[in-house]
Amino acid sequence: MNELPRVVRTITALRQFVQASRAEGKTIGLVPTMGALHHGHLSLITEISKHVDLPIVSIFVNPTQFGEGEDFETYPREEQADLEKLAETDTVLVYAPDAREMYPPGDSTTVSVGGITGRLEGTARPGHFDGVATVVSKLLLQCQPDAAIFGEKDYQQLAVIRQFVRDLTVPVDILGGPIIRETDGLAASSRNAYLSEAGRKVAGQLNVILARLVAEVAAGSSVKHAEQTATDTLLAAGFHAVDYVAVVDPATLEPVTVVNRSARVLTVARIEGVRLLDNMAIEVPR
Ligand code: PAF
């Protein structure tokens, strides 16, 4: 096994590393994570390494993006295993602050993004995007990377981050990493580990049903009809609930009723108390 990457836990140590690297003419990339790393995360490191000299990975389970009754307490924390996985990548530094470093006593600023957060995950998880936008703002200011990368599995999160980076003119390139899928097509996620064998089998249907919707809409089916069919099929396949199946504009995430060119379908379906997110592009041939 390769040597484990160096871990720093303070903003001061992070900045010292970044400043020294910049003095040597190196560019910096940040891969923000909450740990419990899987091959989706590792692909983000591979991707950002094509754009910058030095990828830094942050690991921080951010309390402010979890709602009441969500899995903050039980979210998997496996730092040693994460470091062993990172040892096999180009990661040069791991930034793993504790909650006090990120939210010191007296901290009272929240970054709240309007518009795009008013639907889908924003409605299903009130306050979630405030927590994400706040912690990602802090991470970007603490590290000051040239680029940062986020997975497209959390498609709305990526859109929210792009929005506040543009609005606040944060000097960083935001990159999106394609969804990494398991052999049955299930989008890689740290929360997949919560599923039983039976639940995991049902979960594998999500991408299949979504791909069917994409084909139907691209072939000219009514969007409303395709959304309803996908919802019914998910429930019939064994999902306990479907939070939404929504065909939206890929940039604004506004609902779309007629797809003329490109669109995106976003979904969240629940099984065994786990919310599974997925999304796919819809391209209509001209
Ligand atoms: O996608 C995640 O893992 C988290 O939402 C992020 C971007 C690391 C912020 O806590």
Side-chain angles (χ1 to χ4, degrees), residues 41-61:
H41 295 113
L42 304 185
S43 77
L44 297 178
I45 302 167
T46 307
E47 187 56 34
I48 205 164
S49 300
K50 296 177 193 160
H51 299 264
V52 299
D53 299 316
L54 304 178
I56 295 177
V57 173
S58 66
I59 298 179
F60 179 66
V61 184

Side-chain angles (χ1 to χ4, degrees), residues 32-35 41 58 60-62 65 75 128 131-132 135-136 139 150-151 154 157 161:
T33 82
M34 298 204 300
H41 295 113
S58 66
F60 179 66
V61 184
N62 174 36
Q65 69 187 76
Y75 197 85
H128 170 67
V132 170
V135 80
V136 174
L139 287 166
F150 301 85
D154 297 298
Q157 166 174 282
I161 292 166

Side-chain angles (χ1 to χ4, degrees), residues 30-162:
L30 180 65
V31 185
T33 82
M34 298 204 300
L37 302 179
H38 50 69
H39 53 161
H41 295 113
L42 304 185
S43 77
L44 297 178
I45 302 167
T46 307
E47 187 56 34
I48 205 164
S49 300
K50 296 177 193 160
H51 299 264
V52 299
D53 299 316
L54 304 178
I56 295 177
V57 173
S58 66
I59 298 179
F60 179 66
V61 184
N62 174 36
T64 64
Q65 69 187 76
F66 289 78
E68 221 161 283
E70 292 188 353
D71 56 344
F72 173 66
E73 301 299 339
T74 53
Y75 197 85
R77 290 158 172 86
E78 334 173 320
E79 189 176 291
Q80 185 59 26
D82 287 344
L83 295 178
E84 285 168 17
K85 288 175 193 160
L86 293 175
E88 308 303 320
T89 71
D90 293 337
T91 305
V92 292
L93 189 79
V94 174
Y95 174 49
D98 65 14
R100 227 182 135 79
E101 185 74 0
M102 192 61 79
Y103 297 105
D107 181 280
S108 61
T109 299
T110 298
V111 178
S112 190
V113 179
I116 204 162
T117 57
R119 45 195 166 269
L120 306 170
E121 285 303 273
T123 316
R125 302 180 70 190
H128 170 67
F129 285 128
D130 282 2
V132 170
T134 301
V135 80
V136 174
S137 302
K138 282 173 178 272
L139 287 166
L140 293 176
L141 288 164
Q142 290 165 0
C143 181
Q144 301 182 11
D146 298 280
I149 190 163
F150 301 85
E152 284 184 351
K153 186 187 69 82
D154 297 298
Y155 192 82
Q156 191 176 10
Q157 166 174 282
L158 176 58
V160 168
I161 292 166
R162 286 194 197 285

